[in-house]
């Protein structure tokens, strides 16, 4: 199978790589490969000794990395079909216990949004799916076909910050009870447009509902928390954590996490010594410049946060990684691992 022809324009490309790479010989993780814009730039920055482990939960992203013209053919690179929430296990299976940097460019890629078959967008009519990993889990249509009014209201209100969540949920349940549940993106956006009474300037009335269902179906916020927690055990002292968010719910999690992990601590054995930042030191908060937003409107809501791992709480350990295995094992229960050179089809 070949990858979809849809293109993705990478957001904050140079800024992310500049922030991430501090040792060209290091082991780096791109937890959100997408179409590999960041991964390719990262490989260009690494020395022959460097190594890049990429992850994506979308089968089409894995196909883009391993087949056809978009294939990444580099012995320093491997890609794994799994979630970044499974980071620890995925890396352990590669013999990696320490990394020098982790990049998370959150959310969906343009190929996912622009393909009507994936059901992410109200701009195209297609099946109401919205799963990033189509090999598992429940689609948005399946959720709306079984959930009660209260649950649907909570999802749309909490993940979409939608004032008309109750009205939308009522309309969805009424339609379902009349024997005609929503099955397509077109049906959902029409139903939402009828239930949302006041319009936000420049925004489709379905924007918030689509965002909410996507976040819920993919457990995006829980995944993010798990990924950040897993990173703390893996980042070596001096390693960088770089996270690009596209909405306030994600950014709030990243910001709170970095703030909590950056609180200074007093060394009890040396109470008069200067306080040390805790496990992270916050380094930067970067937004795309005007030129980037003009060229790529999808960049307008991006916020990148950068933090550096301190040496607090790092167990003394050996090297971060052994040599590249000739055949990476499949991540447990999540799919497959593929080094670039064996992925050619
Ligand atoms: C914004 S795109 C990344 C684009 C990429 N940086 C590029 O330049 O091509 C986000 C990607 O992350 C993937 N993704 C989102 N959440 C994920 C998760 N929890 N685990 C693994 N991949 C995830 C999506 O499937 C999507 O392909």
């Amino acid at each position: 199978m070949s990858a979809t022809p849809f293109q993705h324009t990478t957001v904050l490309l140079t800024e992310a790589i500049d922030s991430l790479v501090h040792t060209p010989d290091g082991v780096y993780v791109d937890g959100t490969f997408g179409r590999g814009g960041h991964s390719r730039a990262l490989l260009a920055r690494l020395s022959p000794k460097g190594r890049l482990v990429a992850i994506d939960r979308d089968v089409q992203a894995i196909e883009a990395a391993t087949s056809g013209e978009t294939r990444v053919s580099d012995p320093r690179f491997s890609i794994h079909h799994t979630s970044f929430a499974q980071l620890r296990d995925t890396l352990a299976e590669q013999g990696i216990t320490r990394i020098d940097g982790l990049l998370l460019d959150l959310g969906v890629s343009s190929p996912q949004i622009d393909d009507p078959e994936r059901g992410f967008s109200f701009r195209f009519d297609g099946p109401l799916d919205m799963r990033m990993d189509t090999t598992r889990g429940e689609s948005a249509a399946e959720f709306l076909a079984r959930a009660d009014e209260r649950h649907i209201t909570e999802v749309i209100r909490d993940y979409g910050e939608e004032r008309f969540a109750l009205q939308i949920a009522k309309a969805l349940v009424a339609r379902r009870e009349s024997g005609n549940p929503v099955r397509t993106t077109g049906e959902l956006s029409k139903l939402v447009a009828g239930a949302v009474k006041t319009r936000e300037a420049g925004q489709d009335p379905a924007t918030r509902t689509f965002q909410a269902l996507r976040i819920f179906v993919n457990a995006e916020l829980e995944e993010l928390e798990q990924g950040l927690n897993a990173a703390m055990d893996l980042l070596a002292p001096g390693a960088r954590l770089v996270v690009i968010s596209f909405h306030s719910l994600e950014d709030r999690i990243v910001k709170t996490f970095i703030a909590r992990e950056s609180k200074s601590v007093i060394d009890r054995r040396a109470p008069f010594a200067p306080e040390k930042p805790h496990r992270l030191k916050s380094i930067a908060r970067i937004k795309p410049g005007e030129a980037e937003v003009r060229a790529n409107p999808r960049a307008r809501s991006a916020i990148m946060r950068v933090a550096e791992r301190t040496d607090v709480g790092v167990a003394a350990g050996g090297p971060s990684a052994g040599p590249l295995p000739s055949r990476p094992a499949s991540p447990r229960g999540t799919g497959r691992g593929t080094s670039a050179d064996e992925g050619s089809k």
Side-chain angles (χ1 to χ4, degrees):
M1 213 195 304
S2 68
T4 55
F6 304 100
Q7 304 287 317
H8 180 82
T9 305
T10 299
V11 172
L12 289 165
L13 178 59
T14 311
E15 294 86 343
I17 303 307
D18 286 349
S19 302
L20 189 67
V21 180
H22 61 100
T23 160
D25 293 346
V27 179
Y28 291 86
V29 177
D30 179 352
T32 49
F33 178 81
R35 287 301 177 271
H38 284 116
S39 276
R40 283 172 229 275
L42 185 47
L43 283 167
R45 203 65 80 77
L46 297 184
S47 77
K49 285 194 199 149
R51 183 166 169 188
L52 172 59
V53 178
I55 285 172
D56 206 293
R57 69 202 296 203
D58 188 334
V59 173
Q60 289 183 356
I62 307 299
E63 280 162 3
T66 55
S67 60
E69 284 172 19
T70 55
R71 174 173 172 240
V72 181
S73 184
D74 189 311
R76 301 168 300 170
F77 175 82
S78 69
I79 186 155
H80 307 271
H81 179 224
T82 183
S83 154
F84 58 66
Q86 307 294 323
L87 196 59
R88 220 182 278 113
D89 288 351
T90 306
L91 294 182
E93 284 165 12
Q94 307 304 302
I96 299 174
T97 54
R98 283 282 164 81
I99 59 175
D100 297 290
L102 168 67
L103 171 68
L104 299 178
D105 176 17
L106 299 170
V108 276
S109 64
S110 301
Q112 289 167 327
I113 300 170
D114 294 341
D115 182 351
E117 289 305 308
R118 304 298 302 269
F120 282 106
S121 177
F122 47 77
R123 288 185 292 118
F124 317 105
D125 198 16
L128 187 59
D129 192 321
M130 294 199 190
R131 286 171 301 160
M132 293 184 200
D133 184 351
T134 49
T135 67
R136 65 190 59 239
E138 184 178 55
S139 71
E142 285 165 346
F143 167 66
L144 294 176
R146 68 147 176 95
D148 62 19
E149 181 187 296
R150 195 168 135 214
H151 195 183
I152 297 174
T153 306
E154 281 171 5
V155 167
I156 298 176
R157 188 191 59 213
D158 296 351
Y159 298 142
E161 300 178 292
E162 169 61 71
R163 281 191 297 142
F164 297 99
L166 179 61
Q167 289 86 335
I168 296 167
K170 278 187 185 300
L172 280 163
V173 172
R175 185 180 163 134
R176 184 174 81 196
E177 283 174 356
S178 73
N180 189 19
V182 290
R183 291 193 182 89
T184 68
T185 52
E187 288 168 0
L188 177 61
S189 64
K190 217 160 141 198
L191 178 142
V192 174
V196 169
K197 297 300 173 211
T198 51
R199 301 288 156 97
E200 291 173 71
Q203 188 169 290
D204 189 285
T207 305
R208 291 176 176 277
T209 301
F210 272 68
Q211 173 187 301
L213 288 171
R214 193 199 91 199
I215 292 174
F216 174 74
V217 162
N218 295 289
E220 289 179 37
L221 305 184
E222 295 82 355
E223 291 271 321
L224 177 56
E225 282 180 353
Q226 286 172 32
L228 292 173
N229 281 317
M232 295 312 299
D233 296 339
L234 295 161
L235 294 169
R240 291 291 178 90
L241 173 67
V242 177
V243 187
I244 304 173
S245 317
F246 289 85
H247 57 76
S248 57
L249 297 173
E250 279 170 350
D251 184 55
R252 203 173 303 149
I253 290 175
V254 181
K255 181 178 153 186
T256 310
F257 182 83
I258 293 176
R260 193 180 67 226
E261 293 292 347
S262 303
K263 281 215 183 94
S264 57
V265 285
I266 298 170
D267 184 345
R268 283 167 198 231
R269 291 158 303 174
F272 300 109
E275 288 185 21
K276 273 180 144 189
H278 194 40
R279 297 196 293 176
L280 288 179
K281 189 165 79 183
S282 179
I283 300 282
R285 173 187 179 276
I286 297 170
K287 293 192 68 159
E290 271 175 35
E292 178 168 2
V293 173
R294 222 176 301 122
N296 178 17
R298 279 176 184 168
R300 69 186 175 281
S301 47
I303 297 181
M304 182 172 91
R305 292 188 187 268
V306 183
E308 186 176 295
R309 183 75 168 92
T310 67
D311 59 5
V312 172
V314 176
S320 46
L324 264 178
S326 56
R327 186 171 176 78
S330 290
R332 189 170 34 238
T334 48
R336 57 187 186 184
T338 316
S339 84
D341 281 343
E342 70 190 23
S344 171
K345 287 175 195 150

